[in-house]
Structures are given as C-alpha cells and as structure tokens.
Amino acid sequence: MNALKLALHNPRVWGTWAILIALALVPVVFGNENYVMRLFTGALCTAIAVYGMNILLGFTGLLSLAQGGFFGVGAYTVGLLTTDYDWPFWTALITGVLFAAVLGYLCGLIALRTKDEYFAIFTMAIGFIIYLIVSRWESVTHAHTGVNNVKLPEGGGVIDFTDPIPLFYLVFAILALIVYVTWAIRRSSVGRTLISIRTSEDLADAIGVNVGVNKQLAFAASTALAGLGGGLYASVIGFIGPDSAMVDKTFEMLMFILVGGLGTVAGPLLGTLIVTFIFELFQDFQAYRFILVGPIIIALVIFAPRGIVGYLGGWLDKRKARKRQAEAAARRAAAATDDSTRSTATQEVQ
C-alpha cells in the first residue's frame, strides 16, 4: 500500500501514465485511417522488443546486437506456423516466444562467456547467422519471397481482429502489461540485482550475487520479448520477409532506446514512437533517413546522454534536491530565530 502511495506521487509514474493514456486515445483520433492505425500498432510491436533490449542493456549493462535476429525468429515462427502448417495464431505465438527464449538461453550459454565488445561482436554474429538462415533456407523460410497472409489473432467469435482498432488495443494491452512488469522489476530485488551487475560484476559477485545465472536469465527474457514483439508484428503487417531479421533492425532498436532513455520505464516506448514517426516523416528520403536523423541523435547524445526520459528524470531529481535544500535552510533559519527569541526572553527575565 505504501509503495502504491509513493508511486502515485512520483512524476515518473505520472509521465508513463500520460504516454499510455495518449496512446489509448489514438483510435479515437485516427480510427478511420487504417494506415495510421497499422503504423501505430507496428510501432507498439517493436516497442515490446525494445523493452527486451532494455532488460539486457538498460538494467544489466550487456549490449546484445542479436535482438533484431530474435525479433525475426518470433516473426518467422508465427508466420510459418500459421500459413504453412495452419496453426492457430495464439498457439503459434506462444511457440514463437518459447522458441526465441530457449534459443536465446542456449546462445547465451556461449555468448556470456565473453565480455564487453567481444560480447557485442559475438551476438552480432548470432544475429547475422539468423538472417542468413531466413534469407537462404528457401525450402523452409521461403527466403526472399517471404511469408504472406499471416493469420490474425482469433477472437473466439467475440472480437473481430480484422478491424484495426481491436487489433491495436490487443497489442496495446500486451505492451501496457510489459511496461508494468518493467516498472515492477526495476523496483524489485531482481532489478537491483541486475543493476548491481551493470555497476560492477566483481562487486556483485563479492556480495553473493550469482552473476552468471542472472545474466543468463536476463538474456533469455530479452530474447523472449523480442520473439513476442516479432510474432505480433508478423500478424499486424500480414507479411514477413528477411528484412525483419536484419542486423539493421537491432541498430534501429538501439537507436529507439538511446533516444528514449536506457534503464527507464517509459524510455523504450517514447523513443520507439518518436523515432518511428521521424522515419515516417522522412519516408520520401528512405535511403538517407539515417543521415537526416543522425544530427538529432548526436544532439541527444551530447545534451541528453541518458535519453529524453533520463534527462527529464535528472531535471526532476535536481529540482527535488533544490527544494529539500531550501526547506532545510528554512528550518535552520526558523530554529535560529527560535533560539534567538528564547535567549532574548531569558535575558529580559534576568
């Protein structure tokens, strides 16, 4: 109960709620524009995978460049199972998430034996291998032909997910749950354990943290969310191709999280939305979009290295610190005045 009261008085929580409420109102404004609704829904699917990267990079301090590959694993699992094998969407999605998690765990057994830049290079190689498999194994993945007519979620005769609005709210509900889980992890002992590993692995190990197991689980959780985002994305778009598993996808996700704010709750979502719609504005210059967006990213890295949410959080912390200092100064001044008054009164009595 006390935690809930503290949360309700936390500006960061209110900011996250404001973003979610604004997103919930998107169908009210753009409900009749299918393209815009699909754009928003696709961005939310990608944001789910970015939250997976946030667990690994933002909390644990491990830069995995295979996130785009595992996004493709989830997308292709759902796409192939629902089209070639006529599986129901929900069964295919659960399978895709589990497959991405297990594959991530197995890859992590080897990748996590390396550190720092070697870990990043190794995971980039994993991502590139995944891309090569989906782009060359034509008999299974259809290679560059891609997978068409991926099934939409089944609504059990109650909800029609062919309508873009219910589909948007489905993805939005899943994303909102992941945002809550991220907030809960950050406040829990699990989050403090991961952050201690990010701060210093040696110190975390010295105080009794099982560094290897926690890193392994964080890697698997990250790939599971990538698979979840990819599976939903395949259904929303209806077509999946090798581009969804390219290493470029990972760098896009990295850009989203850097713009929004590493290790924050709202950062991955805000960064994904901002950069996605900047890319959309520059869609006529698709080949040059990174050149156009590059200066914006450089400015953010220079002036707000912790991302937009991190910068605003730092500003709030400084404001709170100044307020506490002012209150402490006022209390000291009041105490000094009281002492002076009592001293004067005592002298008058004498």
Side-chain angles (χ1 to χ4, degrees):
M1 195 67 181
N2 290 333
L4 179 60
K5 289 180 179 178
L6 289 172
L8 292 175
H9 290 87
N10 189 337
R12 290 180 174 86
V13 175
W14 281 110
T16 305
W17 271 108
I19 296 171
L20 291 174
I21 291 170
L23 274 174
L25 296 175
V26 163
V28 177
V29 181
F30 301 105
N32 295 325
E33 300 183 34
N34 289 345
Y35 176 77
V36 177
M37 289 300 301
R38 178 171 290 191
L39 184 65
F40 268 106
T41 310
L44 298 188
C45 295
T46 304
I48 292 171
V50 178
Y51 271 99
M53 179 175 277
N54 193 40
I55 291 175
L56 195 60
L57 178 59
F59 291 172
T60 319
L62 298 172
L63 174 58
S64 170
L65 298 179
Q67 195 73 353
F70 288 104
F71 183 88
V73 167
Y76 267 91
T77 302
V78 171
L80 292 171
L81 290 178
T82 58
T83 56
D84 290 3
Y85 300 97
D86 198 29
W87 281 33
F89 168 80
W90 293 110
T91 307
L93 181 65
I94 293 170
T95 304
V97 173
L98 291 175
F99 182 41
V102 171
L103 184 61
Y105 185 87
L106 295 175
C107 289
L109 290 174
I110 302 172
L112 290 169
R113 295 178 181 273
T114 62
K115 290 186 177 182
D116 302 326
E117 63 272 17
Y118 300 104
F119 175 79
I121 292 169
F122 190 91
T123 53
M124 184 169 66
I126 292 173
F128 191 64
I129 290 169
I130 293 173
Y131 170 72
L132 287 177
I133 290 173
V134 300
S135 63
R136 303 293 176 85
W137 198 0
E138 188 168 357
S139 61
V140 175
T141 66
H142 309 294
H144 288 283
T145 303
V147 182
N148 289 291
N149 300 317
V150 180
K151 282 185 181 179
L152 288 165
E154 297 86 12
V158 178
I159 304 174
D160 180 15
F161 287 112
T162 59
D163 186 337
I165 294 177
L167 185 61
F168 170 86
Y169 278 122
L170 171 66
V171 178
F172 172 77
I174 295 172
L175 175 66
L177 177 61
I178 291 168
V179 171
Y180 172 75
V181 170
T182 301
W183 175 79
I185 289 175
R186 185 178 173 83
R187 291 181 54 85
S188 70
S189 58
V190 174
R192 289 191 290 271
T193 298
L194 296 179
I195 292 171
S196 71
I197 294 172
R198 182 190 68 188
T199 304
S200 173
E201 285 191 23
D202 294 334
L203 180 59
D205 186 59
I207 62 176
V209 173
N210 192 328
V211 174
V213 170
N214 281 282
K215 287 166 64 174
Q216 192 73 46
L217 293 175
F219 195 88
S222 174
T223 58
L225 288 181
L228 175 60
L232 290 169
Y233 185 82
S235 180
V236 168
I237 302 303
F239 166 81
I240 206 72
D243 289 352
S244 63
M246 289 181 68
V247 177
D248 288 0
K249 192 76 176 176
T250 300
F251 286 107
E252 284 186 8
M253 294 180 188
L254 182 59
M255 185 185 304
F256 298 158
I257 198 172
L258 288 176
V259 170
L262 272 172
T264 62
V265 176
L269 176 56
L270 186 63
T272 301
L273 293 173
I274 290 174
V275 180
T276 296
F277 286 96
I278 289 176
F279 282 170
E280 185 63 22
L281 289 174
F282 294 146
Q283 63 177 336
D284 293 336
F285 307 95
Q286 188 74 7
Y288 307 100
R289 61 180 182 173
F290 285 103
I291 296 175
L292 295 170
V293 175
I296 299 174
I297 306 302
I298 292 171
L300 280 170
V301 170
I302 293 172
F303 298 106
R306 293 189 296 166
I308 295 172
V309 175
Y311 174 81
L312 293 175
W315 177 78
L316 286 171
D317 290 339
K318 289 178 181 178
R319 185 179 176 186
K320 285 181 180 179
R322 287 195 298 268
K323 185 178 179 179
R324 285 195 298 267
Q325 290 171 358
E327 289 174 350
R331 285 194 298 268
R332 287 195 297 269
T337 301
D338 290 343
D339 290 343
S340 176
T341 302
R342 283 196 297 268
S343 177
T344 302
T346 302
Q347 291 175 0
E348 288 177 354
V349 170
Q350 292 176 348

